[in-house]
């Protein structure tokens, strides 16, 4: 398994997964445009070793494919889901060690974030440079429980940040700190080994330390070191760490920022101050382009891998599940035994707490990894007036701009809830008429023989 980001880059480079860009490019728009272009053109990792006004290296689209996520775990992509589920059962706690590469440089005077880190400005109307792969580590001021997750972070001043704190547990920790009127200590970690990075965004049940999930997936403890100025621990082999505090009660406009859903969003968000930056020698900066390949892999698989097995075990007849577009689309493969199975499974998935807005149920003869197969099933097995389910007033994803905000009042306290409606499309074939829906095929023995001939011609 890989101890750090640079070890993983070296490995995938040998596997032909990396494109090195030698042209001088700027952190303002240019590198973002190149990551997007490379991710769309051939999906490989983009490595920039000639960054204008910055001596170090930037890497982008690192986990931009299921294949590379599987490589991070040392398995073939076909075994990713099973490997995740089996390893995930044996949590391994992190170990705290003395010193590590992250302590090679410790800066506590005259801090200027943009002079130390090549923070990208991604999209035309973004308010400024944003960290998009920064993992925030923090502890609950009440219980000491640890949280970690990616949050979009605006660099608003030499030491000043604006942070989108939209999801628990960090939002709860901040609330607890604000009730006491004290700052919330944070460490922003950039450039980690791929498994720890991925684990930091897994939608895990509350109370589980995500470093233990990373340990389980890597099958060895993550090595942590104590921070310099806050009571937190960070990966010893990270590339950069920013230590600071979210200031209680302070909110400032943060945005516009081009989000994962492909739209600019502006919020009134918490503000943080950084007091120490630590980094490795010749640090590698891990960029993450919103609304591009890696963003989708992180969002879909962090939900899917962590929760899929729970749904497969608890919803009878659900054979497989695929999430698309940050989980807003879900495709359910159904082992249909009863005429109502498709609709039953759609309803169960609507109510399971996922952000999914469109749920499509298909049969076992549909390859749910193939968009062509899914569209074919909808086009030929689905009748809109018979097979559609619509549900209103469901919890929505706040960065989906089509959602509605509803105000609720409880004990005099007003809360805004993000709401969406959901649609289910049952594209399974009717059991009463299965013969009519037999999928045509070439005889399997012929298909197999011809496949071998074609493979011999280099056509795979
Ligand atoms: C690419 C990406 C960007 C994210 N950006 C934010 C963000 O800006 N604000 C936020 O509150 N959560 C954001 N999240 C979600 C959190 O990082 C975290 O994954 C989520 O809260 C699940 O963690 P939990 O199980 O500890 O709650 C983002 C997740 C991903 C994968």
């Amino acid at each position: 398994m890989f101890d750090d980001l640079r070890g993983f880059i070296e490995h995938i480079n040998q596997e032909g997964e990396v494109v090195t860009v030698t042209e001088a490019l700027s952190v303002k728009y240019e590198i973002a445009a190149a990551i997007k272009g490379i991710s769309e053109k051939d999906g490989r990792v983009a490595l920039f070793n000639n960054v204008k006004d910055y001596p170090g290296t930037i890497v982008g689209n690192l986990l931009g494919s299921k294949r590379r996520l599987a490589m991070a775990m040392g398995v073939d992509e076909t075994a990713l889901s099973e490997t995740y589920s089996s390893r995930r059962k044996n949590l391994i706690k992190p170990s705290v060690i003395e010193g590590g590469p992250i302590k090679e440089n410790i800066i506590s005077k005259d801090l200027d974030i943009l002079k130390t880190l090549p923070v990208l400005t991604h999209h035309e109307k973004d308010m400024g440079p944003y960290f998009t792969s920064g993992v925030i580590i923090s502890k609950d001021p009440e219980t000491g429980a640890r949280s970690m997750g990616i949050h979009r972070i605006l660099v608003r001043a030499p030491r000043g940040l604006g942070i989108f704190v939209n999801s628990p547990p960090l939002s709860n920790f901040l609330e607890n700190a604000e009730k006491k009127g004290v700052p919330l200590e944070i460490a922003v970690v950039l450039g980690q080994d791929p498994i720890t990075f991925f684990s930091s965004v897994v939608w895990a049940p509350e109370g589980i330390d995500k470093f233990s999930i990373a340990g389980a997936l890597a099958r060895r403890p993550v090595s942590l070191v104590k921070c310099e100025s806050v009571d937190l621990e960070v990966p010893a082999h990270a590339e950069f760490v920013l230590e600071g505090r979210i200031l209680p009660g302070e909110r400032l406009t943060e945005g516009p920022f081009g989000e994962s859903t492909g739209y600019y969003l502006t919020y009134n968000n918490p503000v943080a101050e950084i007091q120490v930056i630590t980094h490795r020698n010749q640090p590698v900066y891990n960029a993450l382009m919103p609304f591009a390949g890696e963003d989708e892999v992180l969002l879909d698989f962090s939900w899917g891998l962590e929760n899929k097995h729970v749904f497969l075990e608890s919803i009878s007849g659900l054979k497989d599940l695929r999430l698309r577009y940050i989980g807003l689309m879900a495709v359910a493969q159904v082992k249909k035994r009863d005429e109502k199975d498709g609709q039953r499974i759609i309803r169960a998935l609507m109510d399971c707490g996922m952000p999914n807005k469109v749920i499509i149920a298909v049969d076992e003869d549909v390859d749910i990894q193939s968009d062509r197969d899914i569209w074919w099933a909808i086009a030929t097995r689905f009748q809109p007036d018979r097979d559609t389910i619509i549900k209103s007033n469901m919890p929505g994803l706040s960065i989906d701009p089509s959602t509605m905000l509803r105000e609720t009042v409880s004990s005099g306290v007003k809360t805004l809830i993000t709401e969406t409606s959901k649609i289910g499309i049952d594209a399974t074939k009717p059991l009463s008429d299965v013969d009519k829906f037999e999928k045509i095929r070439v005889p399997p023995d012929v298909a197999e023989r011809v496949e071998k001939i074609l493979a011999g011609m280099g056509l795979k």
Side-chain angles (χ1 to χ4, degrees), residues 307-365:
N307 295 292
K308 193 166 103 173
H309 66 280
V310 178
F311 298 132
L312 296 192
E313 278 162 24
S314 61
I315 304 176
S316 70
L318 178 64
K319 205 178 159 207
D320 203 357
L321 184 65
R322 176 183 175 202
L323 301 178
R324 289 294 319 264
Y325 304 112
I326 63 169
L328 290 173
M329 314 265 302
V331 185
Q333 194 181 48
V334 176
K335 192 172 181 173
K336 195 164 172 177
R337 295 290 174 266
D338 182 273
E339 209 60 87
K340 290 276 171 228
D341 275 350
Q343 300 217 1
R344 174 180 59 78
I345 286 171
I346 287 173
R347 287 183 195 282
L349 288 170
M350 280 179 165
D351 294 334
C352 73
M354 270 202 291
N356 57 30
K357 201 164 70 169
V358 180
I359 300 156
I360 304 163
V362 296
D363 293 289
E364 291 173 272
D365 62 352

Coordinates of all heavy atoms in Angstrom, one line a residue, residues 307-365:
N307 N -22.0 2.5 1.4 CA -23.4 2.1 1.7 C -24.1 1.0 0.9 O -25.1 0.5 1.2 CB -24.3 3.4 1.6 CG -23.9 4.4 2.7 OD1 -24.1 4.2 3.9 ND2 -23.2 5.5 2.2
K308 N -23.4 0.7 -0.3 CA -24.1 -0.2 -1.2 C -24.4 -1.5 -0.5 O -25.5 -2.0 -0.6 CB -23.2 -0.4 -2.4 CG -23.9 -1.1 -3.5 CD -23.1 -1.0 -4.8 CE -22.4 -2.3 -5.1 NZ -21.7 -2.3 -6.4
H309 N -23.4 -2.1 0.2 CA -23.6 -3.4 0.8 C -24.7 -3.4 1.8 O -25.5 -4.3 2.0 CB -22.3 -4.0 1.4 CG -21.8 -3.2 2.6 ND1 -21.1 -2.0 2.5 CD2 -22.0 -3.4 3.9 CE1 -20.9 -1.6 3.7 NE2 -21.4 -2.4 4.6
V310 N -24.9 -2.2 2.5 CA -26.0 -2.1 3.5 C -27.3 -2.3 2.8 O -28.2 -3.0 3.2 CB -25.9 -0.8 4.2 CG1 -27.1 -0.6 5.2 CG2 -24.6 -0.6 4.9
F311 N -27.5 -1.6 1.6 CA -28.7 -1.6 0.9 C -28.9 -3.0 0.2 O -30.0 -3.5 0.2 CB -28.8 -0.6 -0.3 CG -28.7 0.8 0.3 CD1 -27.8 1.7 -0.3 CD2 -29.4 1.2 1.3 CE1 -27.7 3.0 0.2 CE2 -29.4 2.5 1.8 CZ -28.5 3.4 1.3
L312 N -27.8 -3.6 -0.3 CA -28.0 -4.9 -0.9 C -28.4 -5.9 0.1 O -29.2 -6.8 -0.2 CB -26.7 -5.4 -1.6 CG -26.1 -4.5 -2.7 CD1 -25.0 -5.2 -3.5 CD2 -27.2 -4.2 -3.7
E313 N -28.0 -5.8 1.4 CA -28.4 -6.7 2.4 C -29.8 -6.5 2.9 O -30.5 -7.4 3.3 CB -27.4 -6.7 3.6 CG -26.1 -7.5 3.3 CD -25.0 -7.1 4.2 OE1 -25.2 -6.6 5.3 OE2 -23.8 -7.4 3.8
S314 N -30.2 -5.2 3.0 CA -31.4 -4.9 3.6 C -32.6 -4.8 2.7 O -33.8 -4.9 3.1 CB -31.3 -3.6 4.4 OG -31.0 -2.5 3.6
I315 N -32.4 -4.5 1.4 CA -33.5 -4.4 0.4 C -33.6 -5.7 -0.4 O -32.7 -5.9 -1.3 CB -33.4 -3.2 -0.5 CG1 -33.2 -1.9 0.4 CG2 -34.6 -3.1 -1.4 CD1 -32.9 -0.7 -0.4
S316 N -34.5 -6.6 -0.1 CA -34.5 -7.9 -0.8 C -34.8 -7.6 -2.3 O -35.7 -6.8 -2.7 CB -35.6 -8.8 -0.2 OG -36.9 -8.4 -0.5
G317 N -34.1 -8.4 -3.1 CA -34.3 -8.3 -4.6 C -33.4 -7.3 -5.2 O -33.4 -7.2 -6.4
L318 N -32.8 -6.4 -4.4 CA -31.8 -5.4 -5.0 C -30.5 -6.2 -5.2 O -29.9 -6.7 -4.3 CB -31.6 -4.3 -4.1 CG -30.6 -3.2 -4.5 CD1 -31.1 -2.5 -5.8 CD2 -30.4 -2.1 -3.4
K319 N -30.1 -6.3 -6.5 CA -28.9 -7.1 -6.9 C -27.7 -6.2 -7.0 O -26.6 -6.6 -6.6 CB -29.2 -7.8 -8.2 CG -28.4 -9.0 -8.3 CD -28.7 -9.8 -9.6 CE -27.5 -10.7 -9.9 NZ -27.4 -11.0 -11.3
D320 N -27.8 -5.0 -7.5 CA -26.7 -4.1 -7.7 C -27.2 -2.7 -7.7 O -28.4 -2.4 -8.0 CB -25.9 -4.5 -8.9 CG -24.4 -4.0 -8.9 OD1 -24.0 -3.4 -7.9 OD2 -23.7 -4.3 -9.8
L321 N -26.3 -1.7 -7.5 CA -26.7 -0.3 -7.4 C -25.5 0.5 -8.0 O -24.4 0.3 -7.7 CB -26.9 0.0 -6.0 CG -27.5 1.4 -5.6 CD1 -28.9 1.6 -6.2 CD2 -27.5 1.6 -4.1
R322 N -25.9 1.5 -8.8 CA -24.9 2.4 -9.4 C -25.4 3.8 -9.2 O -26.5 4.1 -9.4 CB -24.7 2.1 -10.8 CG -23.8 3.1 -11.5 CD -23.7 2.8 -13.0 NE -22.9 3.8 -13.7 CZ -23.0 4.0 -15.0 NH1 -23.9 3.4 -15.7 NH2 -22.3 4.9 -15.6
L323 N -24.5 4.7 -8.7 CA -24.8 6.1 -8.5 C -24.1 6.9 -9.6 O -23.0 6.6 -10.0 CB -24.4 6.6 -7.1 CG -25.0 5.9 -5.9 CD1 -24.4 6.4 -4.6 CD2 -26.5 6.0 -5.9
R324 N -24.8 8.0 -10.0 CA -24.2 8.8 -11.0 C -24.4 10.3 -10.6 O -25.4 10.6 -10.0 CB -24.8 8.6 -12.4 CG -24.5 7.3 -13.1 CD -23.1 7.2 -13.6 NE -22.4 8.3 -14.1 CZ -22.3 8.6 -15.4 NH1 -22.8 7.9 -16.3 NH2 -21.6 9.7 -15.8
Y325 N -23.5 11.1 -11.1 CA -23.7 12.6 -10.9 C -23.9 12.9 -9.5 O -25.0 13.3 -9.1 CB -24.8 13.2 -11.9 CG -24.4 12.9 -13.3 CD1 -25.2 12.0 -14.0 CD2 -23.3 13.4 -13.9 CE1 -24.9 11.6 -15.3 CE2 -23.0 13.0 -15.2 CZ -23.8 12.1 -15.9 OH -23.4 11.8 -17.1
I326 N -22.9 12.8 -8.7 CA -22.8 13.0 -7.3 C -24.1 12.4 -6.6 O -24.6 13.0 -5.7 CB -22.6 14.5 -6.9 CG1 -23.7 15.4 -7.4 CG2 -21.3 15.0 -7.5 CD1 -23.6 16.8 -6.8
G327 N -24.4 11.2 -7.0 CA -25.4 10.4 -6.4 C -26.9 10.9 -6.7 O -27.8 10.3 -6.1
L328 N -27.0 11.9 -7.5 CA -28.4 12.3 -7.8 C -29.2 11.3 -8.6 O -30.4 11.3 -8.6 CB -28.4 13.7 -8.4 CG -28.0 14.8 -7.4 CD1 -27.9 16.1 -8.1 CD2 -29.0 15.0 -6.3
M329 N -28.5 10.5 -9.4 CA -29.1 9.5 -10.2 C -28.7 8.1 -9.6 O -27.5 7.9 -9.4 CB -28.6 9.5 -11.7 CG -28.6 10.9 -12.3 SD -30.0 11.3 -13.3 CE -30.1 10.0 -14.5
A330 N -29.7 7.2 -9.5 CA -29.3 5.9 -9.0 C -29.9 4.9 -9.9 O -31.1 5.0 -10.3 CB -29.8 5.7 -7.6
V331 N -29.1 3.9 -10.3 CA -29.7 2.8 -11.1 C -29.7 1.5 -10.3 O -28.6 1.1 -9.8 CB -28.8 2.6 -12.4 CG1 -29.5 1.6 -13.3 CG2 -28.7 4.0 -13.1
A332 N -30.8 0.9 -10.1 CA -31.0 -0.3 -9.3 C -31.2 -1.5 -10.2 O -32.1 -1.5 -11.0 CB -32.1 -0.1 -8.4
Q333 N -30.3 -2.5 -10.0 CA -30.5 -3.7 -10.8 C -31.4 -4.7 -9.9 O -31.0 -4.9 -8.7 CB -29.2 -4.4 -11.1 CG -29.4 -5.5 -12.1 CD -28.1 -6.1 -12.5 OE1 -27.3 -6.5 -11.5 NE2 -27.8 -6.3 -13.7
V334 N -32.5 -5.1 -10.4 CA -33.5 -5.8 -9.6 C -33.6 -7.3 -10.1 O -33.7 -7.6 -11.2 CB -34.9 -5.1 -9.8 CG1 -36.0 -5.9 -9.1 CG2 -34.8 -3.7 -9.3
K335 N -33.6 -8.1 -9.1 CA -33.9 -9.6 -9.3 C -35.4 -9.7 -9.1 O -35.9 -9.9 -8.0 CB -33.2 -10.4 -8.3 CG -33.1 -11.8 -8.5 CD -32.1 -12.4 -7.5 CE -32.0 -13.9 -7.7 NZ -31.0 -14.5 -6.9
K336 N -36.2 -9.6 -10.2 CA -37.6 -9.4 -10.1 C -38.3 -10.8 -10.0 O -38.1 -11.7 -10.8 CB -38.1 -8.7 -11.4 CG -39.5 -8.2 -11.3 CD -39.9 -7.2 -12.4 CE -41.3 -6.8 -12.3 NZ -41.7 -5.8 -13.3
R337 N -39.0 -10.9 -8.9 CA -39.8 -12.1 -8.6 C -41.3 -11.9 -8.5 O -42.1 -12.7 -8.6 CB -39.3 -12.8 -7.3 CG -37.9 -13.3 -7.3 CD -37.7 -14.5 -8.3 NE -36.3 -14.9 -8.4 CZ -35.5 -14.5 -9.4 NH1 -36.0 -13.7 -10.4 NH2 -34.3 -14.9 -9.5
D338 N -41.6 -10.6 -8.2 CA -43.0 -10.2 -8.1 C -43.2 -8.9 -9.0 O -42.3 -8.2 -9.2 CB -43.2 -9.8 -6.6 CG -44.7 -9.4 -6.3 OD1 -45.0 -8.2 -6.5 OD2 -45.4 -10.3 -6.0
E339 N -44.4 -8.8 -9.5 CA -44.7 -7.7 -10.4 C -44.3 -6.3 -9.8 O -43.9 -5.4 -10.5 CB -46.2 -7.8 -10.8 CG -46.5 -7.2 -12.2 CD -45.8 -8.0 -13.3 OE1 -46.3 -9.0 -13.8 OE2 -44.7 -7.5 -13.7
K340 N -44.5 -6.2 -8.5 CA -44.3 -4.9 -7.9 C -42.8 -4.7 -7.4 O -42.5 -3.7 -6.7 CB -45.2 -4.8 -6.7 CG -46.7 -4.6 -7.0 CD -47.0 -3.2 -7.4 CE -48.4 -3.0 -8.0 NZ -48.5 -2.2 -9.2
D341 N -41.9 -5.6 -7.6 CA -40.6 -5.5 -7.1 C -39.8 -4.2 -7.5 O -39.1 -3.6 -6.7 CB -39.7 -6.7 -7.5 CG -39.9 -7.9 -6.5 OD1 -40.6 -7.7 -5.4 OD2 -39.5 -9.0 -6.8
G342 N -40.0 -3.9 -8.8 CA -39.3 -2.7 -9.3 C -39.7 -1.5 -8.5 O -38.9 -0.7 -7.9
Q343 N -41.0 -1.3 -8.3 CA -41.6 -0.1 -7.6 C -41.2 -0.2 -6.1 O -41.0 0.8 -5.5 CB -43.1 0.0 -7.8 CG -43.5 0.1 -9.3 CD -44.7 1.0 -9.5 OE1 -45.2 1.5 -8.6 NE2 -45.1 1.1 -10.7
R344 N -41.3 -1.4 -5.5 CA -41.0 -1.5 -4.1 C -39.5 -1.1 -3.8 O -39.2 -0.3 -2.9 CB -41.2 -3.0 -3.7 CG -40.7 -3.3 -2.2 CD -41.0 -4.7 -1.9 NE -40.3 -5.7 -2.7 CZ -39.0 -6.0 -2.6 NH1 -38.2 -5.4 -1.7 NH2 -38.4 -6.9 -3.4
I345 N -38.6 -1.5 -4.7 CA -37.2 -1.2 -4.5 C -37.0 0.3 -4.7 O -36.2 1.0 -4.0 CB -36.3 -2.1 -5.4 CG1 -36.3 -3.5 -4.7 CG2 -34.9 -1.5 -5.5 CD1 -35.7 -4.6 -5.6
I346 N -37.7 0.9 -5.7 CA -37.5 2.3 -6.0 C -38.0 3.1 -4.7 O -37.3 4.0 -4.2 CB -38.4 2.8 -7.2 CG1 -37.8 2.3 -8.5 CG2 -38.6 4.3 -7.2 CD1 -38.6 2.5 -9.7
R347 N -39.1 2.7 -4.1 CA -39.6 3.4 -2.9 C -38.6 3.3 -1.8 O -38.3 4.2 -1.0 CB -41.0 2.9 -2.5 CG -42.1 3.3 -3.4 CD -43.4 2.9 -2.9 NE -44.4 3.0 -4.0 CZ -45.0 4.1 -4.4 NH1 -44.7 5.2 -3.7 NH2 -45.9 4.2 -5.4
A348 N -38.0 2.1 -1.6 CA -37.1 1.9 -0.5 C -35.8 2.8 -0.7 O -35.3 3.4 0.2 CB -36.6 0.4 -0.5
L349 N -35.4 2.9 -2.0 CA -34.2 3.8 -2.2 C -34.5 5.2 -2.1 O -33.7 6.1 -1.8 CB -33.6 3.5 -3.6 CG -32.9 2.1 -3.7 CD1 -32.6 1.7 -5.2 CD2 -31.7 2.1 -2.9
M350 N -35.8 5.6 -2.4 CA -36.2 7.0 -2.2 C -36.1 7.4 -0.7 O -35.8 8.5 -0.4 CB -37.7 7.2 -2.6 CG -37.8 7.3 -4.1 SD -39.5 7.5 -4.6 CE -39.4 8.1 -6.2
D351 N -36.4 6.4 0.2 CA -36.5 6.7 1.6 C -35.2 6.4 2.4 O -35.2 6.5 3.6 CB -37.6 5.9 2.2 CG -39.0 6.3 1.7 OD1 -39.1 7.5 1.3 OD2 -39.9 5.5 1.7
C352 N -34.1 6.1 1.7 CA -33.0 5.5 2.4 C -32.0 6.6 2.9 O -30.9 6.3 3.4 CB -32.2 4.5 1.6 SG -31.3 5.3 0.2
G353 N -32.3 7.9 2.6 CA -31.4 9.0 3.1 C -30.3 9.4 2.1 O -29.5 10.2 2.4
M354 N -30.3 8.7 0.9 CA -29.4 9.1 -0.1 C -29.9 10.4 -0.8 O -31.1 10.7 -0.8 CB -29.3 8.1 -1.2 CG -28.3 7.0 -1.0 SD -27.9 6.2 -2.6 CE -29.4 5.3 -3.0
P355 N -29.0 11.2 -1.4 CA -29.5 12.4 -2.1 C -30.2 12.2 -3.4 O -30.6 13.1 -4.1 CB -28.2 13.3 -2.3 CG -27.1 12.3 -2.3 CD -27.5 11.1 -1.5
N356 N -30.2 10.9 -3.8 CA -30.7 10.5 -5.2 C -32.1 11.2 -5.5 O -33.0 11.2 -4.7 CB -30.7 9.0 -5.4 CG -31.6 8.3 -4.3 OD1 -32.5 8.9 -3.8 ND2 -31.3 7.1 -4.0
K357 N -32.2 11.7 -6.7 CA -33.4 12.4 -7.1 C -34.1 11.6 -8.2 O -35.3 11.7 -8.3 CB -33.0 13.7 -7.7 CG -34.0 14.8 -7.7 CD -33.4 16.2 -7.9 CE -32.8 16.4 -9.2 NZ -32.5 17.8 -9.5
V358 N -33.3 10.9 -9.0 CA -33.9 10.0 -10.1 C -33.5 8.6 -9.8 O -32.3 8.3 -9.7 CB -33.4 10.5 -11.5 CG1 -33.9 9.6 -12.6 CG2 -33.7 12.0 -11.7
I359 N -34.4 7.7 -9.7 CA -34.1 6.3 -9.4 C -34.6 5.4 -10.6 O -35.8 5.5 -10.9 CB -34.6 5.8 -8.1 CG1 -34.0 6.7 -7.0 CG2 -34.3 4.3 -7.8 CD1 -34.8 6.7 -5.7
I360 N -33.8 4.7 -11.2 CA -34.2 3.8 -12.3 C -34.0 2.4 -11.9 O -32.9 2.0 -11.5 CB -33.3 4.2 -13.6 CG1 -33.4 5.7 -13.9 CG2 -33.8 3.3 -14.8 CD1 -32.3 6.2 -14.8
A361 N -35.1 1.6 -12.1 CA -35.0 0.2 -11.8 C -34.9 -0.6 -13.1 O -35.7 -0.3 -14.0 CB -36.2 -0.3 -11.0
V362 N -33.9 -1.5 -13.2 CA -33.8 -2.3 -14.4 C -33.6 -3.8 -14.0 O -33.4 -4.1 -12.9 CB -32.6 -1.9 -15.3 CG1 -32.7 -0.4 -15.8 CG2 -31.3 -2.0 -14.5
D363 N -33.7 -4.6 -15.1 CA -33.6 -6.1 -14.8 C -32.2 -6.6 -14.8 O -31.3 -5.8 -15.1 CB -34.4 -6.8 -15.9 CG -35.9 -6.6 -15.9 OD1 -36.5 -7.1 -15.0 OD2 -36.4 -5.9 -16.8
E364 N -32.1 -7.9 -14.5 CA -30.7 -8.5 -14.4 C -30.0 -8.6 -15.7 O -28.8 -8.7 -15.8 CB -30.9 -9.9 -13.8 CG -31.3 -9.9 -12.3 CD -31.6 -11.3 -11.9 OE1 -32.7 -11.8 -12.0 OE2 -30.6 -12.0 -11.4
D365 N -30.8 -8.5 -16.8 CA -30.1 -8.6 -18.1 C -29.7 -7.2 -18.6 O -29.2 -7.1 -19.8 CB -31.0 -9.3 -19.2 CG -32.3 -8.5 -19.4 OD1 -32.6 -7.5 -18.7 OD2 -33.1 -8.9 -20.3

